[in-house]
Amino acid sequence: MKRRTDIGRTIAKLLLLLLAVLLLPGCDRREMYVYGDEYRSVVLDVDWRSYSDSDPDGMTVWFYPLDRPDHAPYRTITANVRHAELYLPGGRYDGVVIDYSPEEYSRQTFHGLDSVSTARVEAAPQAYQPDSLTVEGEGVPKDLSGLVNLQLYGEEAWTSLQQPRPSLQPSELYTVVCQPEPMALDTLKGKQVDTGLYGDYIPWKERDTYQESITLTQLFAEPQGIIWTFHVRIFIKKGVAYLWQPLASLSGLSDGHYLALDENTDRPCLIAIDQWSVRRYNDDSGYISATFSTFGLRPSDLQRESLRLNLSLVLRDHASVFHYHFDVGDQVVTIDDQLQLRLDLDTDIELPFVDAYNGTGFGADVTPWEDQEPVDVHF
């Protein structure tokens, strides 16, 4: 009897539940809305063919709101390097597209990314002067003796060190930068992101179709390389056969590039050049050449006047060193379509004959044997 009562109660509950479901459509209800002012769709298509034959593994995109300069930039890192969908409030933007993520670069650092005017990339410092090379310099005070390579790094660096300074922190010209890695950049200036067809609110039920219902802003980017290849070639008139190792530095090049402004920084840097090759023209003369990467020339009018090549030639005896200085600003040739800088110096350098280094590091003589009476050794 009790079992029949439980079954009856269960049936009654099911009937009541069914009745409630049937009555719900007749109830008065309000449409649910979601605030949509912060969502404006942007479709970004990227073509990397001007930079490389193959696409990069990833890319980073910044959009700086020009209508709200105090607002933080919108940043996106994506592995989809040809097509990206971004959601931005309506308004005007400056955009920046680069290959890879800033965290992936080992020889470049990014600074000031919160502002259009300060966002830049710089070559990561490899070393600082006067701490790297230690050579006694003529006229160097005793407390600084051994800290400065005056010949190799030039008078500009030494002059800056002579000024009153609270410490031996390096000046801007003293920074020895690494050769930057190749990178591609495109700057999208003054792009307008359109407002959608909806007002401030959109129906919740249409949220999934919101992107199809608004006006899509289509943007295109074509990143191109911004890292220059610098070729240096120096003619040795005589004695190239006695040369062991060239060392050099080039001062006055730009230390970085402004991303959103798409121009080099005006701050000079010092680049050490130690990877050289020798090509003989004949038995007594020939060329030394080197290639390195750089952000290129500075944008100021005096950029070429500040370019100076400081050259040190170490001969094969590992002891004779000759120092030369060349103002080369008016001799640098640019090839814009290939991002190349070339410097050819036809010098009158003549090196003297020296004996080759014997590799022992010291000289030793053997005392001749003398006739001695034999001595018995007892065990």
Side-chain angles (χ1 to χ4, degrees), residues 45-339:
D45 290 319
V46 185
D47 186 355
W48 296 94
R49 287 176 296 181
S50 297
Y51 165 58
S52 175
D53 295 334
S54 58
D55 293 341
D57 297 330
M59 71 175 180
T60 303
V61 179
W62 287 276
F63 276 96
Y64 295 90
L66 301 180
D67 301 331
R68 296 175 294 167
D70 296 334
H71 194 283
Y74 297 87
R75 177 187 176 188
T76 299
I77 299 178
T78 174
N80 188 347
V81 297
R82 291 202 173 190
H83 179 84
E85 295 182 0
L86 312 170
Y87 298 94
L88 302 173
R92 292 173 56 252
Y93 292 85
D94 274 354
V96 173
V97 179
I98 68 165
D99 54 336
Y100 309 113
S101 163
E103 290 77 16
E104 292 185 81
Y105 285 96
S106 60
R107 290 184 291 180
Q108 272 139 252
T109 57
F110 291 77
H111 306 275
L113 298 177
D114 292 336
S115 171
V116 170
S117 60
T118 60
R120 66 190 185 279
V121 58
E122 297 177 357
Q126 180 183 38
Y128 288 97
Q129 298 305 320
D131 300 319
S132 63
L133 297 182
T134 58
V135 175
E136 299 285 343
E138 182 179 356
V140 179
K142 292 182 179 180
D143 57 340
L144 298 180
S145 181
L147 291 177
V148 186
N149 188 335
L150 176 60
Q151 293 83 10
L152 181 57
Y153 289 97
E155 296 177 359
E156 302 99 327
W158 170 239
T159 301
S160 65
L161 189 64
Q162 286 180 311
Q163 304 301 322
R165 309 177 67 83
S167 66
L168 289 180
Q169 292 299 318
S171 66
E172 293 175 351
L173 198 56
Y174 257 135
T175 303
V176 180
V177 297
C178 293
Q179 298 181 20
E181 297 165 283
M183 70 172 293
L185 170 71
D186 194 4
T187 302
L188 311 174
K189 296 185 177 181
K191 298 301 181 180
Q192 180 70 37
V193 176
D194 298 325
T195 302
L197 300 178
Y198 285 109
D200 291 340
Y201 294 87
I202 59 174
W204 177 269
K205 67 180 181 180
E206 297 182 17
R207 186 183 62 163
D208 294 338
T209 61
Y210 178 59
Q211 180 174 328
E212 300 175 359
S213 304
I214 67 173
T215 302
L216 299 179
T217 300
Q218 188 82 31
L219 299 178
F220 298 93
E222 189 177 359
Q224 300 184 11
I226 65 171
I227 304 299
W228 291 70
T229 300
F230 205 126
H231 302 279
V232 181
R233 191 172 72 159
I234 303 173
F235 178 69
I236 306 297
K237 184 177 181 180
K238 183 179 180 181
V240 69
Y242 312 131
L243 177 63
W244 175 59
Q245 183 181 23
L247 297 171
S249 66
L250 185 61
S251 62
L253 293 172
S254 174
D255 76 334
H257 191 88
Y258 285 110
L259 299 175
L261 303 180
D262 198 13
E263 64 182 30
N264 279 353
T265 62
D266 199 34
R267 190 172 66 176
C269 70
L270 188 73
I271 295 183
I273 313 171
D274 55 4
Q275 300 294 326
W276 293 85
S277 60
V278 180
R279 180 179 180 182
R280 293 191 183 185
Y281 185 72
N282 52 43
D283 291 340
D284 206 31
S285 61
Y287 293 91
I288 59 173
S289 59
T291 300
F292 61 93
S293 300
T294 173
F295 286 103
L297 301 173
R298 295 158 58 201
S300 65
D301 295 335
L302 300 177
Q303 60 179 359
R304 292 186 177 274
E305 296 182 15
S306 64
L307 286 180
R308 192 179 198 202
L309 179 67
N310 306 289
L311 177 65
S312 295
L313 300 179
V314 185
L315 302 192
R316 64 181 184 178
D317 61 355
H318 294 198
S320 302
V321 184
F322 294 87
H323 306 286
Y324 306 90
H325 307 284
F326 305 97
D327 294 318
V328 297
D330 59 344
Q331 301 185 54
V332 174
V333 178
T334 63
I335 305 178
D336 294 340
D337 57 341
Q338 299 179 18
L339 288 184

Side-chain angles (χ1 to χ4, degrees), residues 23-64:
L23 292 176
L24 280 177
C27 298
D28 184 21
R29 62 183 179 88
R30 295 184 178 181
E31 184 72 76
M32 294 183 65
Y33 284 81
V34 61
Y35 188 59
D37 182 62
E38 291 297 322
Y39 295 91
R40 312 296 180 197
S41 287
V42 173
V43 175
L44 175 65
D45 290 319
V46 185
D47 186 355
W48 296 94
R49 287 176 296 181
S50 297
Y51 165 58
S52 175
D53 295 334
S54 58
D55 293 341
D57 297 330
M59 71 175 180
T60 303
V61 179
W62 287 276
F63 276 96
Y64 295 90

